[in-house]
Amino acid sequence: MKQWKKYILSSVAGFFSLAQFTFIFFFSNEGFQILRYFGWIIWVISLVFGWMPIFVLGRKGGVPKGKSYVHTTVLVETGIYAIVRYPQYLALPLLNLALILTAQHWIIAIIGVVAIVLMYIDILNADQEGIDKFGNEYKRYMRTVPRTNFLLGIIRIMGYKKKARKC
């Protein structure tokens, strides 16, 4: 696949996210305060998933000196990567959901849903890239770590820790 083709979906999703973020200043409803609070909580979670991989991959990804953190040579399965396979990809749909909940306006919701769908399709394509790069090791990783379901990932980690304590 040509290098630029693999960034189309995420670029379009990013455009919709930027539009959603911009429109929030023009279209916003009073709505339900509780939803707004959940939106802020999800926004903070999206920040964690967006920023943590920069540090984790830079430290544990076998990145060659002078290269960006995205140029990993080692499959990282610890830290945030033990919870979900695609934390940075997950950050954008979480941000979209946060904006939907805080604005509570139909235009922002439609734009956000489009962005979420585009990012999820891009995430599905990313599994093949992982297999191409890391082979069977990545297939094993796929069986143990959820793609984007961070709640399941946290539950699995908690289960592994309980098993380790019993031994």
Side-chain angles (χ1 to χ4, degrees), residues 106-127:
W106 66 271
I107 291 175
I108 305 231
I110 290 172
I111 294 170
V113 168
V114 170
I116 289 169
V117 168
L118 290 172
M119 276 310 295
Y120 194 74
I121 293 168
D122 203 29
I123 290 168
L124 294 175
N125 294 334
D127 272 334

Side-chain angles (χ1 to χ4, degrees), residues 3-19 89 92 115 118-119 122:
Q3 195 68 10
W4 63 271
K5 284 185 177 180
K6 64 184 202 179
Y7 299 111
I8 288 176
L9 285 175
S10 58
S11 296
V12 174
F15 171 78
F16 275 97
S17 298
L18 184 61
Y89 280 125
L92 192 59
L118 290 172
M119 276 310 295
D122 203 29

Side-chain angles (χ1 to χ4, degrees), residues 31-44:
F32 298 100
Q33 194 63 33
I34 188 81
L35 291 179
R36 196 164 275 113
Y37 290 138
F38 279 120
W40 284 106
I41 291 168
I42 292 170
W43 194 328
V44 170

Side-chain angles (χ1 to χ4, degrees), residues 42-132:
I42 292 170
W43 194 328
V44 170
I45 293 169
S46 79
L47 288 173
V48 170
F49 282 111
W51 286 95
M52 283 212 36
I54 295 170
F55 305 109
V56 173
L57 291 179
R59 206 173 34 236
K60 297 183 179 185
V63 177
K65 189 171 177 82
K67 291 280 190 174
S68 168
Y69 73 97
V70 298
H71 294 96
T72 60
T73 59
V74 176
L75 178 61
V76 178
E77 301 179 59
T78 58
I80 197 110
Y81 287 93
I83 297 172
V84 292
R85 295 194 303 264
Y86 303 107
Q88 283 193 312
Y89 280 125
L90 176 59
L92 192 59
L94 287 175
L95 174 63
N96 297 128
L97 179 59
L99 292 173
I100 290 169
L101 293 174
T102 55
Q104 299 178 37
H105 192 277
W106 66 271
I107 291 175
I108 305 231
I110 290 172
I111 294 170
V113 168
V114 170
I116 289 169
V117 168
L118 290 172
M119 276 310 295
Y120 194 74
I121 293 168
D122 203 29
I123 290 168
L124 294 175
N125 294 334
D127 272 334
Q128 187 57 51
E129 290 179 37
I131 292 168
D132 293 345

